[in-house]
Amino acid sequence: MNWKEFKSVLRENSEAPLQFEYKQNQWAHNSFHLTEFKQAQIVSVDCGGQKNEWNEIIIQVWEPPVLQLGPPMKAQKAIEIIDLVEGVVGFDQDAEVKIEYGNANFGTRQMPLTGFQL
């Protein structure tokens, strides 16, 4: 999913809760924070000398050490954070979105955002 599509789905569902499934039936705790947004430019050369370039947007999802009770963040809050971020950095609208997440039972990694479930 690219950055433009991601933002569009959030805006179309602004009152919906936002949750992240990092493994089948395993979800980031409701008290997660969106702590960092990164745009990474990847430049690679394969063994045949072919150069490739693309951008990725990486959203860091972080759980506080002391988990807090309460409902999950609404998509509208994520939109507000994104608007703030894009006021500072212009992101490539076609860049693939990845989620960076980890916890005590799941090593931190960057995973492609594969879809939404409403």
Side-chain angles (χ1 to χ4, degrees), residues 1 5-7 9-10 13 18 113-118:
M1 174 173 291
E5 293 166 334
F6 175 67
K7 294 187 309 179
V9 171
L10 290 176
N13 299 282
L18 181 61
L113 182 61
T114 57
F116 281 88
Q117 182 178 16
L118 299 173

Side-chain angles (χ1 to χ4, degrees), residues 5-65:
E5 293 166 334
F6 175 67
K7 294 187 309 179
S8 178
V9 171
L10 290 176
R11 289 186 196 288
E12 291 169 7
N13 299 282
S14 62
E15 292 304 311
L18 181 61
Q19 297 177 292
F20 292 98
E21 183 180 34
Y22 59 89
K23 191 175 176 184
Q24 188 170 353
N25 297 318
Q26 299 292 311
W27 300 83
H29 191 272
N30 285 354
S31 61
F32 75 83
H33 296 263
L34 302 178
T35 54
E36 190 172 63
F37 291 72
K38 304 174 231 184
Q39 178 168 257
Q41 180 184 25
I42 311 298
V43 179
S44 71
V45 179
D46 66 23
C47 61
Q50 177 65 44
K51 181 179 176 182
N52 294 290
E53 297 182 56
W54 67 91
N55 289 323
E56 296 177 351
I57 307 294
I58 303 156
I59 302 172
Q60 189 176 73
V61 175
W62 175 79
E63 291 178 358

